[in-house]
Amino acid sequence: MPRYLLSIGFIFLVWPLTPSASNLGIAAFEGVWQGNAVSESTVSANFRLTSRDIDIIVQGINDGGFSITWNTVQRQKGDPNNPRAKLKSTSMWFSPVRHNVWRSNKNNDPVSLPTPYAWAFIKDRTLEIVTVQIYKDGNHETQIYRRTLSGTGMTLEFSRTLSGKQVRSASGRLVKVCLLYTSDAADER
């Protein structure tokens, strides 16, 4: 039998064993990621385009959930020629609802309480986190974070809308700098 036929047969035999993009779970996103992004704003007169340094920590939890912390160094206040840097840090914990869908552990009624309702899901190679907050006057804010795995790391796409009108977007690239091996995040919930 020719060697090329053996090779083709082997490929078809092993191919179903390789994970496809649709089979990615939260473990594929676990680790410490660092990079930068560019943010565009329609509501800032002096800081329409700003640079941000970003790090993201994703850690699986034994119950099938995960925690995520993202730190962003923003440069959008003060003198436009010498902006002040400000660190903004957000942490969220998610519990599984069904395969590759999670809800935030802090969810409440978004109409009655001033906290956002959040959920996360994985589709193909993208971990998407959506938050919705409804204000007292009925206006609402939606933030969508898309973190997509690529061959060289992770791309980030962010959008923020107020009552359906986009007021900020950001896009950037991150690389994994560290793997995490513990599930201690469950103790912090």
Side-chain angles (χ1 to χ4, degrees):
M1 179 178 259
R3 290 189 91 140
Y4 73 91
L5 287 178
L6 284 174
S7 298
I8 291 172
F10 180 75
I11 289 170
F12 283 113
L13 181 66
V14 174
W15 190 355
L17 301 176
T18 59
S20 69
S22 62
N23 291 334
L24 288 181
I26 198 63
F29 296 86
E30 284 188 71
V32 178
W33 302 81
Q34 293 180 341
N36 53 49
V38 173
S39 173
E40 293 182 66
S41 172
T42 62
V43 294
S44 175
N46 295 323
F47 294 95
R48 287 184 137 357
L49 196 63
T50 59
S51 172
R52 296 173 176 219
D53 298 325
I54 299 171
D55 70 72
I56 299 170
I57 302 166
V58 179
Q59 189 167 14
I61 300 173
N62 289 335
D63 66 358
F66 71 96
S67 68
I68 184 166
T69 298
W70 61 95
N71 301 300
T72 305
V73 176
Q74 300 174 337
R75 294 172 188 86
Q76 58 193 42
K77 303 278 188 214
D79 179 358
N81 295 319
N82 187 19
R84 290 190 317 262
K86 177 184 174 188
L87 175 64
K88 183 178 178 188
S89 185
T90 303
S91 294
M92 298 180 88
W93 289 264
F94 290 90
S95 295
V97 176
R98 57 185 166 271
H99 179 70
N100 281 348
V101 177
W102 300 265
R103 77 168 48 100
S104 170
N105 292 354
K106 304 261 183 192
N107 280 349
N108 290 303
D109 177 3
V111 176
S112 303
L113 298 169
T115 56
Y117 189 89
W119 67 95
F121 62 95
I122 294 175
K123 182 173 181 183
D124 297 327
R125 303 184 70 79
T126 301
L127 169 62
E128 187 165 322
I129 296 176
V130 180
T131 68
V132 176
Q133 185 164 358
I134 301 171
Y135 297 106
K136 287 181 182 180
D137 64 2
N139 284 312
H140 62 279
E141 176 178 331
T142 303
Q143 296 185 12
I144 300 173
Y145 300 84
R146 290 185 183 98
R147 297 169 176 98
T148 303
L149 297 178
S150 66
T152 58
M154 179 187 289
T155 60
L156 169 70
E157 297 294 328
F158 166 77
S159 68
R160 177 177 172 234
T161 61
L162 292 175
S163 296
K165 181 179 178 187
Q166 184 168 317
V167 295
R168 182 173 302 279
S169 65
S171 62
R173 297 197 54 78
L174 299 98
V175 294
K176 187 181 281 191
V177 296
C178 179
L179 295 174
L180 299 173
Y181 295 103
T182 64
S183 292
D184 296 335
D187 298 332
E188 297 177 23
R189 287 187 281 165

